[in-house]
Amino acid sequence: MTGIRILLIEANKHNSRSHAIDLQKNKHFVLVEHSTSKASAKIQSFRPDIIILDAASMRTSGTRLCHRLHNTCQKHNIACKIILLVSNVPQYKQKDYVDITISQPFTSRKLLNAVKRLAPLPTNSWTKIGPLKFNFKQRRVQCWNKEK
C-alpha cells in the first residue's frame, strides 16, 4: 500500500497543521498545492492516484472545485479518486465525481483509512468472475470498474 501518489490541495496557512505530514509518514508521495488552478496544471505531469481537496481550509463547499479537478483528470485520461474534506456535513447528495466526503472534526487516522480504501490495488490481487472482480484480502468488490 505504500507509494500512493497523492495530490493534496489546501489553503496556504502558516498556523494550521497540514495533512501532508501524516500522509508522508505512511510513505505516500504527496504533492501539495494551494490552488486548484495550479493543481490542474500539475495533474498531467504528476498523475496522482488520489486527489484530496481540503475545502474546509479554503472556506468553500468544494463542489465546483472537485468538478473542475474531475474534468481535468478525464481530459488527460487519468483515473484518480477524489476525497473532499468539508467543515460541515453537506446538505446535498454526494456528487458522482467525489468518492469520499469527510466532514470535520476528523482525525488523521480517518483520512489515512479513506486513502487506504481508495488506493489502487495490484492487478494480481483480484479474482475475476464475469463482470465482477473480488479482492478477498481487503473485502472489495468491483463491477464494470465501479466499486461497491
Side-chain angles (χ1 to χ4, degrees):
M1 280 297 157
T2 58
I4 301 168
R5 301 172 68 82
I6 299 173
L7 177 61
L8 176 63
I9 305 164
E10 60 186 3
N12 190 10
K13 294 186 178 180
H14 300 288
N15 59 355
S16 66
R17 178 174 161 82
S18 175
H19 300 293
I21 297 166
D22 298 323
L23 294 168
Q24 288 172 341
K25 281 183 185 176
N26 283 340
K27 298 179 177 73
H28 300 306
F29 301 111
V30 181
L31 176 66
V32 179
E33 287 296 334
H34 300 294
S35 71
T36 54
S37 58
K38 290 179 184 176
S40 294
K42 295 268 176 123
I43 282 178
Q44 187 176 11
S45 62
F46 186 64
R47 300 190 71 81
D49 297 316
I50 298 172
I51 297 175
I52 301 175
L53 176 63
D54 190 358
S57 70
M58 301 172 110
R59 298 185 183 196
T60 180
S61 67
T63 306
R64 285 182 282 151
L65 302 175
C66 284
H67 186 66
R68 180 178 178 188
L69 292 169
H70 175 74
N71 286 343
T72 304
C73 288
Q74 291 230 326
K75 185 173 84 174
H76 297 298
N77 293 328
I78 299 172
C80 66
K81 308 289 185 174
I82 298 177
I83 299 175
L84 177 62
L85 309 177
V86 294
S87 59
N88 53 9
V89 179
Q91 298 175 358
Y92 52 85
K93 185 179 165 188
Q94 182 171 314
K95 303 296 182 188
D96 291 336
Y97 44 83
V98 177
D99 294 292
I100 295 178
T101 302
I102 302 175
S103 59
Q104 287 185 339
F106 62 90
T107 60
S108 62
R109 181 80 252 162
K110 189 169 187 176
L111 179 60
L112 290 171
N113 286 341
V115 167
K116 183 179 176 184
R117 179 85 177 112
L118 295 178
L121 294 171
T123 56
N124 59 356
S125 64
W126 292 94
T127 303
K128 188 171 181 179
I129 302 170
L132 297 174
K133 292 194 295 187
F134 300 97
N135 185 319
F136 297 109
K137 184 178 179 184
Q138 286 198 337
R139 300 170 57 187
R140 292 167 74 171
V141 177
Q142 281 188 351
C143 181
W144 306 112
N145 292 328
K146 293 276 186 173
E147 188 169 322
K148 299 290 180 186

